[in-house]
Amino acid sequence: IINNYVDGTQGGARDKASPSGLHFRDSKRKVDYVLAYHYRRRLARHVPGAASPEPMRGSATVALVSNGGTGKGHAEPRQQQQDDGQRAMWEWPGLPGLEVVELSPLDALEEERRLQREEYERNLLEAGLEIEKDPENKSQGLSFVRIHAPWQVLSREAEFLKIKMPTKKMYEITEEKGILKTLNEIWCKLTEPLQPQVPQQENTKMKTLCYPFSREKIYLYNIKDKDTFFDNATRSRIVREILKRTSTKARNSMGIGTLIANNVYDAAYPLHDGEYEGQNDDMNERKLLYQEWARYGVFYKFQPIDLIRKYFGEKIGLYFAWLGLYTEFLIPSSVVGIIVFLYGCITVESDIPSKEMCDQRNAFTMCPLCDKFCDYWNLSSACATARASHLFDNPTTVFFSIFMALWATMFLEQWKRLQMRLSYFWDLTGLEEEEEHPRPEYETKLLQKKLKNKNIMTENSNENEKVKLTWSDRMPGYAANFGLILFMIMLTFSAVFGVIVYRITTAAALSFSTNETTRSNVRVTVTATAVVLNLVVVLILDEIYGAVAKWLTEIEIPKTEKTFEERLILKAFLLKFVNSYASIFYVAFFKGRFVGRPGRYVYVFEGYRMEECAPGGCLMELCIQLSIIMLGKQLIQNNLFEIGIPKLKKLLRKLKDERTEPKEMDTNQSKDPHQWDLDYILEPFTGLTPEYMEMIIQFGFVTLFVASFPLAPLFALLNNIIEVRLDAKKFVTELRRPDTVRAKDIGIWYNILSGIGKLSVIINAFVIAVTSDFIPRLMYRYAYSQNGTMHGFINHTLSYFNVSQLKAGTQPENSLFAQEVSFCRFKDYREPPWSPHQYEFSKQYWAVLSARLAFVILFQNLVMFLSVLVDWMIPDIPKDISEQIKKEKTLLVDFFLKEEHEKLKLIESFIARDKRKRRSGTKSKRTRAASFSQCHRSPKGSFTSFSSQHTVV
């Protein structure tokens, strides 16, 4: 061990590693962090008779080799014939016997990386860290640098980072009283079998007082063992901060992020706490999480949120807390959605409009659905569609829409309360945002600008002027962002239009068929195939948009990771939102609105009519579109992709390592792989953005168009029960351990959720008013019905058309209709042929349109008012938590004053005892006591002034 640095090449044979694989070879010092890199040793040609060559330590382009030593300098060429023509022999003036070997570009690059690693590791040692390395005893391979942070470094950095640590003081948490306490006790008894079997605090009524760590006030903290005072997550976080700010002179690289970006190191990660399954009986937090959380067999249990936070950090803990609350809130909405659906099933037989449509005695002769090849048809043939529409288009739909709008508001309010509760128990209250280190890409761009400015610098320029990226530097990125995002949105609309064209052309082609069965099922066939095609397009574009959003954010050159993440989230959400909902918006608000009327239809490509809604309305088609896209995305993208892609990446990385690493016997390598070997194989953690994005898009499906699909919350609930365990298993078993990040909220995701909740009110208002038949039915019952019932509603909504006025060439050929047709019917509010204003919109049309707009305004204002009322009634901070925070502040001040008072009394007693000893001494001692007293009275350096400093809190 030299300067806390252990090199595998120094000690010859490798010592036996610790059994757990989590410590240095001495089995005492923990491995807090691991750096991994691939090396390639160059077998240099050297002077005959010299010792075997060591790794080159000279220039990256020209190296001296002499008895294993190296050097730099100017060499003069010596003419010598080379067999391979690739190497040149050089003589060093004044140093005979030295041979200079010119490095190949690959060797030069490897040499440069090795020098950067050596410099970086020296700087880590200077920062106080301790390092252990593997011997590089193969021609090329994978090597690890293990890092340990001693107590001095941990305490210093904990003070810099203001990490809150437990003090000696504990205080009692005030519990709720009265009926709330009784209900809470009953709930705890009922849910006891659902609680995970993880270690809990012995006395849950007590809480430890925490305070930012300070070395000057170290006597305040409950330090029983310095090795365990900082847990593994905190230790790795501290080391990561040192790695991020430690720089190297080569290429002016700042921190480990830049070195990984430049391929100097391959990876940097903290270790998991051992294996999650195995024969050994040693229990660790990772194994406990796997047994009680990350298995599908424990899907019915609550999540051990405190243990998740302790192991993965606050940011990941908040994600799983949010996901758990969201899943719990889906239970009541699923129950209400099932009730609404069952109400539709029960009342379908008594629904008068459906019965009228299915009654063949009414004989509503409908106009042809296409030109020339389509015949007249009876409305009763669409009986099944009408009955199915009633399952979702019934009076309870309005109630369910209002309920879901309030549900979204209550969910967000409850999350704010839970977030505040977790912040209190996790000691995140008053958390200040830490200053982030710049991203490697930002530093690279800044360095390029510095070099450019240096080259064009004039005599009058200020060399000390701080260089930073301006708008002109970022303008190309912003322009590319605007243009490409606009292009991607247009691409989505083009894909939707392509599916529309497919529906129109396929419907026309199937109508030409001579097969009666094919022609009768045209609408079902076209709808089903078009929705599946649309789902495939959505899935493909989703993956493309994710990669494009990341690339667009990178060319903007954000300075910090937080800024990068927020911009990436906004771009990805915008693109994926448009992609997921564009086709649904089309069906809900545009399909069937621009069809025209018989005799004056709207055509696309001159030969194809715009598609119409089904006789029962577009709501049923909207339901099919929404359900297939939602279920398809959840099943394929959220589950199959999430399980399959990490396993595929892991396999590819393993095959790549086996292919690049030669099969040489390493006699020093133990048979059992260490924890850092096992963790390196795992997939690196790339952030929570994909996880949140899945749930946010699903939240949109649940709230935005819930009026058309009341079962959406149920399917979301079933998906999330699997999703929680799937994400848990991925974090515990398939990903490297993430760096712990302290966060007091979920960031920009809350704003997106709130925006979706407000948008859902407007969209559901328009779905009920425009897409469904709720308003026409309401108007008919109370304005046009003679007896206040729904009898005659179907006839009221159908207009007449004189078939003799059909354009030439559009009449049905070889009509097989039973009776001769003079008038056909079509769904619209228009004047009849015998009216002086034939085929113009009727008074009923304008009355219904006015009612639709009035309903939208009324519904929107009512729901918004109720949402604001709920928001006002539910405080963001629970009352008990607010009181506990105030109590904690008071206790903290009292605790400080008490400790300082005891410290002051101890100093005063020491002074008094010292005075008594001096007074009882000899004459010479009295002289010294007098001088001591004179010093005591002096203002500078006196005991009085010293003791007074400790009264300040």
Side-chain angles (χ1 to χ4, degrees):
I1 302 175
I2 302 172
N3 191 21
N4 294 329
Y5 181 89
V6 181
D7 192 346
T9 60
Q10 300 285 340
R14 181 174 176 173
D15 297 332
K16 186 177 179 182
S18 62
S20 65
L22 300 172
H23 293 78
F24 278 13
R25 296 189 188 96
D26 57 12
S27 299
K28 294 179 181 178
R29 291 176 292 175
K30 286 182 179 179
V31 177
D32 296 318
Y33 223 86
V34 174
L35 307 179
Y37 64 92
H38 278 88
Y39 65 89
R40 178 177 176 274
R41 298 178 68 190
R42 183 179 62 79
L43 300 176
R45 190 160 63 94
H46 61 286
V47 178
S52 54
E54 295 293 328
M56 301 298 295
R57 300 184 183 276
S59 170
T61 54
V62 178
L64 284 173
V65 180
S66 177
N67 296 328
T70 59
K72 293 182 184 178
H74 296 285
E76 296 179 357
R78 172 167 58 89
Q79 298 296 330
Q80 179 174 335
Q81 185 67 31
Q82 296 294 321
D83 296 332
D84 54 5
Q86 295 180 359
R87 288 215 228 171
M89 293 293 296
W90 300 71
E91 281 188 353
W92 203 271
L95 293 174
L98 287 180
E99 179 183 348
V100 184
V101 182
E102 185 177 358
L103 303 182
S104 65
L106 192 61
D107 287 333
L109 182 62
E110 179 60 33
E111 181 74 7
E112 184 182 354
R113 289 173 180 169
R114 186 185 62 77
L115 292 173
Q116 286 191 62
R117 284 196 293 268
E118 287 183 357
E119 183 189 356
Y120 185 68
E121 288 160 18
R122 281 197 302 271
N123 294 341
L124 292 180
L125 292 173
E126 290 175 4
L129 296 177
E130 298 177 5
I131 291 177
E132 182 180 73
K133 289 187 70 173
D134 285 337
E136 298 178 3
N137 50 14
K138 293 189 286 188
S139 60
Q140 61 181 13
L142 178 67
S143 187
F144 296 96
V145 178
R146 294 173 288 282
I147 300 172
H148 168 77
W151 169 258
Q152 292 83 356
V153 175
L154 293 172
S155 57
R156 180 191 72 207
E157 297 296 323
E159 184 173 351
F160 291 164
L161 297 173
K162 299 180 181 179
I163 298 175
K164 284 189 175 182
M165 300 304 296
T167 63
K168 299 173 183 177
K169 176 70 175 177
M170 295 187 73
Y171 65 95
E172 187 176 359
I173 300 173
T174 307
E175 291 186 338
E176 295 174 339
K177 298 178 181 179
I179 191 169
L180 289 176
K181 183 180 179 182
T182 308
L183 291 173
N184 187 43
E185 290 175 353
I186 295 172
W187 175 251
C188 290
K189 284 286 184 183
L190 292 174
T191 59
E192 193 172 348
L194 306 179
Q195 298 294 338
Q197 302 300 313
V198 295
Q200 300 286 346
Q201 188 178 333
E202 293 180 2
N203 190 354
T204 55
K205 296 180 181 179
M206 301 295 290
K207 184 180 183 297
T208 305
L209 195 64
C210 292
Y211 185 73
F213 189 80
S214 172
R215 287 173 291 180
E216 292 182 356
K217 296 181 174 62
I218 200 167
Y219 55 87
L220 298 176
Y221 302 96
N222 188 21
I223 304 176
K224 296 178 181 177
D225 185 0
K226 289 184 177 181
D227 291 335
T228 58
F229 180 65
F230 296 103
D231 59 16
N232 291 345
T234 306
R235 295 174 71 98
S236 64
R237 177 187 166 208
I238 288 173
V239 174
R240 178 73 181 188
E241 286 296 321
I242 298 174
L243 293 175
K244 283 163 71 175
R245 71 167 184 254
T246 303
S247 61
T248 58
K249 293 180 181 177
R251 293 189 179 181
N252 293 328
S253 60
M254 283 292 295
I256 189 65
T258 311
L259 294 175
I260 292 175
N262 294 333
N263 295 319
V264 177
Y265 290 100
D266 291 341
Y269 52 90
L271 292 180
H272 278 293
D273 286 359
E275 297 184 31
Y276 61 89
E277 57 182 358
Q279 301 299 326
N280 56 344
D281 297 329
D282 295 336
M283 182 58 69
N284 56 63
E285 290 180 352
R286 187 187 187 194
K287 184 180 286 188
L288 192 61
L289 282 171
Y290 178 74
Q291 292 178 355
E292 295 296 326
W293 178 53
R295 292 188 301 115
Y296 295 112
V298 293
F299 72 92
Y300 59 91
K301 288 188 176 183
F302 292 119
Q303 298 184 86
I305 293 297
D306 290 327
L307 185 59
I308 296 168
R309 169 253 178 177
K310 182 183 177 185
Y311 193 81
F312 292 111
E314 284 79 6
K315 191 171 184 179
I316 294 175
L318 283 173
Y319 164 70
F320 281 103
W322 175 84
L323 181 57
L325 182 69
Y326 173 47
T327 305
E328 288 174 15
F329 258 71
L330 284 171
I331 295 173
S333 60
S334 300
V335 172
V336 177
I338 292 171
I339 293 172
V340 170
F341 178 73
L342 291 176
Y343 173 84
C345 294
I346 293 169
T347 58
V348 68
E349 296 296 336
S350 59
D351 183 50
I352 295 173
S354 299
K355 290 167 71 175
E356 285 186 351
M357 189 179 289
C358 295
D359 191 354
Q360 296 185 5
R361 293 174 297 178
N362 288 329
F364 295 110
T365 304
M366 305 298 291
C367 297
L369 294 172
C370 65
D371 295 342
K372 199 172 183 179
F373 295 99
C374 295
D375 202 354
Y376 303 104
W377 55 286
N378 276 323
L379 186 60
S380 58
S381 63
C383 175
T385 309
R387 290 168 67 88
S389 295
H390 179 74
L391 300 178
F392 306 101
D393 189 2
N394 56 66
T396 57
T397 303
V398 179
F399 157 75
F400 189 57
S401 298
I402 297 173
F403 170 80
M404 287 304 295
L406 298 178
W407 172 88
T409 304
M410 291 190 67
F411 163 63
L412 293 176
E413 288 300 311
Q414 189 60 30
W415 167 245
K416 284 194 286 189
R417 290 169 62 83
L418 177 60
Q419 193 171 250
M420 199 63 214
R421 191 174 291 276
L422 292 175
S423 294
Y424 165 69
F425 283 105
W426 293 353
D427 297 304
L428 298 173
T429 51
L431 178 68
E432 299 177 4
E433 289 194 7
E434 300 170 5
E435 185 179 351
E436 289 191 69
H437 300 282
R439 298 178 65 249
E441 293 81 2
Y442 179 85
E443 290 177 339
T444 305
K445 189 74 175 177
L446 206 61
L447 179 61
Q448 291 172 357
K449 185 174 181 181
K450 284 180 182 178
L451 294 174
K452 184 179 178 181
N453 291 351
K454 192 174 182 181
N455 293 334
I456 62 174
M457 189 177 292
T458 62
E459 295 181 358
N460 298 328
S461 61
N462 184 10
E463 293 186 13
N464 297 324
E465 185 180 352
K466 189 175 181 181
V467 179
K468 59 181 181 180
L469 298 184
T470 59
W471 270 90
S472 58
D473 298 314
R474 290 192 169 99
M475 189 53 68
Y478 291 148
N481 268 264
F482 178 78
L484 273 173
I485 288 175
L486 197 61
F487 171 76
M488 291 296 171
I489 292 173
M490 296 307 297
L491 179 63
T492 302
F493 292 157
S494 301
V496 173
F497 183 71
V499 175
I500 294 169
V501 172
Y502 165 81
R503 271 203 291 253
I504 294 171
T505 53
T506 307
L510 292 177
S511 300
F512 301 157
S513 174
T514 56
N515 190 328
E516 182 63 29
T517 308
T518 304
R519 282 191 295 174
S520 61
N521 294 321
V522 166
R523 193 179 292 277
V524 176
T525 306
V526 169
T527 301
T529 56
V531 171
V532 172
L533 177 64
N534 194 70
L535 173 63
V536 173
V537 172
V538 167
L539 293 177
I540 294 172
L541 289 180
D542 245 10
E543 298 302 316
I544 295 172
Y545 288 166
V548 169
K550 187 175 181 181
W551 179 75
L552 288 174
T553 311
E554 286 174 349
I555 64 175
E556 278 188 15
I557 323 170
K559 185 175 181 179
T560 62
E561 285 295 338
K562 183 179 180 181
T563 312
F564 177 85
E565 187 180 17
E566 287 182 352
R567 293 184 183 182
L568 173 62
I569 288 168
L570 288 174
K571 290 182 187 64
F573 174 73
L574 174 63
L575 293 173
K576 293 191 175 188
F577 181 88
V578 173
N579 183 43
S580 298
Y581 299 112
S583 59
I584 299 172
F585 269 93
Y586 165 74
V587 174
F589 304 123
F590 298 101
K591 186 177 180 181
R593 312 290 168 198
F594 311 102
V595 177
R597 61 171 177 81
R600 194 180 290 176
Y601 284 113
V602 177
Y603 291 88
V604 289
F605 304 122
E606 297 184 356
Y608 299 100
R609 274 164 45 180
M610 282 293 291
E611 56 181 349
E612 303 178 46
C613 290
C618 276
L619 197 70
M620 187 62 202
E621 209 164 324
L622 176 62
C623 174
I624 295 171
Q625 185 92 4
L626 180 66
S627 59
I628 291 182
I629 291 178
M630 178 183 176
L631 296 177
K633 276 178 69 68
Q634 289 185 167
L635 180 64
I636 299 172
Q637 194 174 45
N638 297 5
N639 293 328
L640 294 181
F641 284 8
E642 205 163 330
I643 295 170
I645 289 178
K647 292 186 180 297
L648 183 63
K649 286 183 177 179
K650 182 179 176 181
L651 178 63
L652 291 175
R653 190 165 53 254
K654 188 176 180 181
L655 293 173
K656 181 183 175 182
D657 289 341
E658 289 177 354
R659 188 172 63 253
T660 56
E661 200 168 322
K663 295 183 179 179
E664 300 177 20
M665 291 299 294
D666 186 358
T667 54
N668 296 327
Q669 186 72 34
S670 60
K671 293 181 180 178
D672 296 329
H674 297 302
Q675 190 62 48
W676 47 85
D677 296 305
L678 297 172
D679 286 4
Y680 179 77
I681 301 171
L682 300 177
E683 186 73 13
F685 174 69
T686 55
L688 288 169
T689 301
E691 317 301 333
Y692 272 115
M693 191 66 72
E694 292 173 13
M695 294 296 104
I696 296 296
I697 296 295
Q698 184 202 82
F699 184 78
F701 283 122
V702 168
T703 55
L704 291 179
F705 295 93
V706 74
S708 63
F709 188 40
L711 295 179
L714 174 64
F715 288 112
L717 173 64
L718 297 175
N719 174 80
N720 285 11
I721 291 172
I722 300 171
E723 181 73 21
V724 170
R725 306 302 160 179
L726 182 64
D727 284 349
K729 188 174 183 181
K730 184 170 70 172
F731 273 85
V732 173
T733 66
E734 295 175 4
L735 294 179
R736 293 176 191 158
R737 188 171 184 172
D739 294 302
T740 57
V741 179
R742 290 177 75 82
K744 57 184 178 182
D745 52 40
I746 59 174
I748 197 172
W749 294 111
Y750 180 83
N751 299 329
I752 294 175
L753 285 167
S754 180
I756 291 176
K758 291 178 173 61
L759 183 62
S760 69
V761 176
I762 302 169
I763 290 178
N764 281 306
F766 276 98
V767 167
I768 296 169
V770 177
T771 312
S772 75
D773 280 340
F774 176 76
I775 298 300
R777 292 186 185 196
L778 209 63
M779 286 291 293
Y780 178 77
R781 168 171 285 185
Y782 296 106
Y784 301 108
S785 177
Q786 296 178 354
N787 52 8
T789 64
M790 293 302 295
H791 289 286
F793 172 73
I794 298 297
N795 185 53
H796 177 75
T797 58
L798 297 176
S799 299
Y800 286 91
F801 182 76
N802 190 341
V803 297
S804 63
Q805 295 177 348
L806 285 171
K807 287 183 179 180
T810 61
Q811 299 92 342
E813 289 185 350
N814 305 320
S815 177
L816 302 176
F817 208 66
Q819 66 269 20
E820 187 177 349
V821 178
S822 300
F823 296 97
C824 66
R825 310 293 294 273
F826 64 99
K827 190 172 182 180
D828 207 346
Y829 292 102
R830 290 184 181 267
E831 297 288 347
W834 53 83
S835 170
H837 306 287
Q838 61 178 3
Y839 306 132
E840 291 184 2
F841 288 118
S842 62
K843 291 179 181 179
Q844 289 90 336
Y845 171 83
W846 298 112
V848 170
L849 180 62
S850 302
R852 291 181 196 271
L853 296 176
F855 174 81
V856 169
I857 295 170
L858 180 65
F859 181 89
Q860 180 181 336
N861 284 281
L862 174 64
V863 175
M864 287 294 185
F865 170 74
L866 292 176
S867 299
V868 171
L869 185 64
V870 170
D871 190 359
W872 174 75
M873 290 176 63
I874 302 175
D876 293 347
I877 304 177
K879 187 178 179 181
D880 60 323
I881 296 298
S882 179
E883 292 174 355
Q884 294 295 340
I885 292 173
K886 293 177 183 176
K887 180 181 177 182
E888 190 175 78
K889 289 179 180 178
T890 306
L891 286 171
L892 194 62
V893 173
D894 292 343
F895 176 58
F896 274 3
L897 290 174
K898 182 181 177 183
E899 290 290 331
E900 293 292 342
H901 184 65
E902 290 179 358
K903 184 179 177 182
L904 186 61
K905 284 175 64 178
L906 187 65
I907 292 172
E908 288 174 348
S909 64
F910 170 75
I911 295 171
R913 189 169 62 251
D914 190 63
K915 282 182 178 179
R916 285 196 299 271
K917 285 182 180 180
R918 291 176 183 277
R919 285 170 184 165
S920 61
T922 59
K923 185 177 180 180
S924 60
K925 289 181 180 179
R926 284 199 302 272
T927 305
R928 284 197 295 271
S931 65
F932 175 81
S933 178
Q934 182 67 29
C935 175
H936 178 71
R937 286 193 299 271
S938 65
K940 196 171 184 179
S942 65
F943 284 110
T944 307
S945 62
F946 171 74
S947 63
S948 65
Q949 293 175 3
H950 294 272
T951 61
V952 180
V953 178

